[in-house]
């Protein structure tokens, strides 16, 4: 059983006490030291429906193996990554956000070599202090910084393109970059949780997820990942809990789709306590705990395909990828991951990039699905 907890510190006024807002989200998963030796099985089960496959409605892609392209970190490079939590890839560059060092490593997607390391340096143009999210445009990389409360877009080599102030950065869960230098953000909860801005920071639209309760405590159960954009500027919204996911357009229109294996709506238990306080101000800690594990862990897109990293599934929990068509919501197929991964991203060419954090070493790996295992390397002696 995997435990999930989130800590919310919210503003409140009671007995002349005013709090300071903050957010901490903790997701626990078992540590793993698997380094994806080639080949590794990418699926388990038939490629066509059968009684065994109908247990959860899934069918599997014909690819049967994961083939590793390259790996960085691990025992050979112990000091390269400390806590690689966020990944995003363009056609040539993989951005790795290391929350342990507040650095962003730009790696070549071809061989994993480091092209640049962007360090937390300040609040000037093109600088950041406390990066919490990396996203991609078709040609650019975006960094959301909690220290300066702004989104900054860089070229694939790390040069500044534009930056914009963003409100409520501390409660932002995910983002989706649209055409015309616009960015859609998902904040906490359901009510007014989606915010669209342009490159100047102007708020173009604020709208809500379906079934808005308006309850300010309804935050953990509405946590969601954004993926996109797909053709037509559609962003996919994959809630971690429940049975449905959504697509949205730039005007706030929402379409509803179902997960292939529906998850349960959580019952959230809320506990709060006063951490410290004086006559004029204080800090209230609010902890929300779910009674069920999330059905989804993250969401990614390539073209018009949404890839959801599944969570609390009937088979292989935390080790399944479910594929959907963003334009229609139709389920396509699934793949089985070789291990439980800390972070995941998919490149424009279909290459997957993953990170794992272990007690002693962390690493980032690139791998692709293959229908057949690679041929063994035969070493020939001198002629």
């Amino acid at each position: 059983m995997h435990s999930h907890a989130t800590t919310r510190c919210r503003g409140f006024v009671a007995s002349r006490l005013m709090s300071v807002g903050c957010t901490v989200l903790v997701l626990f998963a078992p540590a793993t030291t698997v380094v994806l030796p080639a080949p590794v099985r990418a699926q388990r089960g038939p490629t066509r429906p059968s009684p065994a496959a109908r247990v959860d409605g899934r069918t599997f892609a014909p690819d049967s193996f994961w083939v590793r392209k390259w790996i960085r970190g691990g025992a050979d490079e112990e000091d390269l990554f400390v806590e690689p939590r966020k990944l995003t890839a363009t056609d040539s560059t993989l951005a790795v956000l290391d929350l342990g060092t507040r650095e962003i490593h730009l790696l070549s997607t071809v061989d994993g070599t480091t092209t640049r390391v962007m360090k937390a340096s300040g609040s000037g143009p093109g600088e950041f202090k406390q990066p919490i999210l990396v996203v991609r445009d078709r040609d650019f990389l975006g960094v959301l910084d909690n220290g300066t409360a702004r989104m900054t877009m860089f070229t694939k080599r790390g040069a500044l393109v534009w930056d914009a102030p963003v409100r409520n950065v501390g409660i932002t869960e995910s983002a989706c970059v649209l055409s015309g230098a616009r960015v859609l953000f998902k904040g906490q909860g359901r009510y007014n949780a989606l915010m669209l801005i342009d490159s100047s920071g102007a708020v173009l639209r604020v709208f809500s997820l379906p079934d808005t309760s308006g309850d300010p405590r309804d935050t953990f159960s509405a946590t969601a990942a954004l993926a996109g954009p797909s053709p037509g500027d559609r962003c996919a919204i994959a809630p971690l809990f429940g049975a449905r996911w959504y697509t949205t357009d730039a005007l706030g229109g929402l379409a509803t789709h179902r997960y292939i294996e529906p998850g349960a709506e959580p019952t959230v238990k809320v506990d709060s306590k006063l951490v410290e306080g004086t006559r004029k101000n204080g800090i209230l800690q609010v902890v929300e705990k779910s009674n069920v594990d999330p059905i989804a862990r993250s969401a990614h897109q390539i073209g018009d395909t949404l890839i959801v990293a599944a969570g609390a599934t009937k088979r292989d929990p935390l080790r399944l990828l479910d594929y959907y068509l963003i334009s229609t919501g139709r389920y396509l197929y699934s793949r089985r991951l070789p291990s439980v991964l800390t972070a995941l991203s998919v490149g424009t060419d279909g290459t997957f990039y993953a990170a794992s954090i272990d007690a002693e070493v962390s690493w980032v790996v690139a791998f692709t699905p293959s229908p057949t295992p690679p041929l063994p390397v035969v070493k020939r002696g001198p002629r």
Side-chain angles (χ1 to χ4, degrees), residues 118-143:
M118 304 170 66
K119 300 179 180 291
S121 56
S123 56
E127 297 178 336
F128 51 80
K129 291 182 177 180
Q130 187 182 3
I132 59 174
L133 191 65
V134 286
V135 296
R136 76 170 182 217
D137 195 356
R138 291 174 178 83
D139 300 309
F140 305 130
L141 296 168
V143 177

Side-chain angles (χ1 to χ4, degrees), residues 23-361:
T23 303
V24 178
L25 176 64
V26 181
L27 300 177
F28 297 98
T32 176
T33 56
V34 177
V35 292
L36 295 170
V40 174
R41 287 284 178 180
Q43 69 174 55
R44 185 175 66 190
T47 59
R48 295 181 179 179
S50 71
R54 293 193 188 104
V55 172
D56 53 19
R58 288 182 173 87
T59 56
F60 286 83
D63 312 274
S64 297
F65 299 93
W66 289 117
V67 178
R68 191 178 75 194
K69 293 176 61 176
W70 50 259
I71 187 169
R72 296 296 309 277
D76 296 333
E77 301 172 292
E78 294 184 6
D79 296 329
L80 184 62
F81 303 114
V82 176
E83 193 179 348
R85 289 283 181 185
K86 305 291 184 179
L87 308 174
T88 193
T90 66
D91 58 347
S92 62
T93 301
L94 173 68
V96 181
L97 171 54
D98 191 331
L99 293 184
T101 62
R102 298 184 180 182
E103 296 175 344
I104 297 176
H105 296 250
L106 302 183
L107 309 181
S108 166
T109 58
V110 176
D111 55 13
T113 55
T114 301
T115 59
R116 183 174 179 180
V117 178
M118 304 170 66
K119 300 179 180 291
S121 56
S123 56
E127 297 178 336
F128 51 80
K129 291 182 177 180
Q130 187 182 3
I132 59 174
L133 191 65
V134 286
V135 296
R136 76 170 182 217
D137 195 356
R138 291 174 178 83
D139 300 309
F140 305 130
L141 296 168
V143 177
L144 182 64
D145 183 37
N146 193 34
T148 60
R150 69 188 184 196
M151 168 68 80
T152 304
M153 297 300 295
F154 298 93
T155 67
K156 290 174 283 190
R157 293 187 174 273
L160 173 66
V161 179
W162 58 262
D163 61 13
V166 180
R167 67 189 192 190
N168 300 326
V169 171
I171 63 172
T172 299
E173 297 173 347
S174 53
C176 169
V177 183
L178 300 172
S179 63
R182 297 168 300 154
V183 184
L184 180 67
F185 295 97
K186 168 63 174 67
Q188 288 179 357
R190 301 178 187 274
Y191 183 67
N192 289 339
L194 296 165
M195 178 179 67
L196 182 68
I197 72 166
D198 62 18
S199 58
S200 70
V203 178
L204 305 178
R205 187 176 179 87
V206 176
F207 52 105
S208 305
L209 287 176
D211 303 322
T212 298
S213 67
D215 186 344
R217 297 176 302 174
D218 187 17
T219 55
F220 187 69
S221 61
T223 300
L226 294 185
S230 67
D233 267 356
R234 294 183 182 92
C235 285
I237 306 170
L240 271 61
F241 298 94
R244 295 170 176 83
W245 60 278
Y246 312 98
T247 52
T248 180
D249 56 35
L251 298 178
L254 288 171
T256 302
H257 314 286
R258 291 186 64 84
Y259 286 126
I260 183 62
E261 182 179 350
E265 293 287 353
T267 299
V268 179
K269 179 182 178 182
V270 181
D271 295 320
S272 63
K273 66 177 180 178
L274 184 66
V275 178
E276 62 180 72
T278 65
R279 293 179 59 187
K280 294 184 178 180
N281 57 69
I283 298 177
L284 179 68
Q285 183 183 63
V286 180
V287 179
E288 299 181 5
K289 296 181 179 179
S290 169
N291 63 327
V292 296
D293 288 338
I295 194 63
R297 302 185 70 209
S298 60
H300 318 275
Q301 68 87 28
I302 175 170
D304 194 32
T305 302
L306 168 67
I307 306 172
V308 177
T313 56
K314 293 183 177 66
R315 69 169 78 185
D316 300 312
L318 309 179
R319 296 180 64 175
L320 283 179
L321 299 177
D322 293 329
Y323 290 67
Y324 302 87
L325 199 60
I326 295 178
S327 57
T328 64
R330 180 169 62 91
Y331 166 74
L332 300 174
Y333 53 83
S334 298
R335 284 192 173 105
R336 180 175 179 261
L337 288 168
S339 64
V340 179
L341 302 167
T342 302
L344 187 70
S345 181
V346 58
T348 55
D349 63 349
T351 299
F352 285 83
Y353 304 93
S356 181
I357 302 172
D358 200 7
E360 297 181 358
V361 295

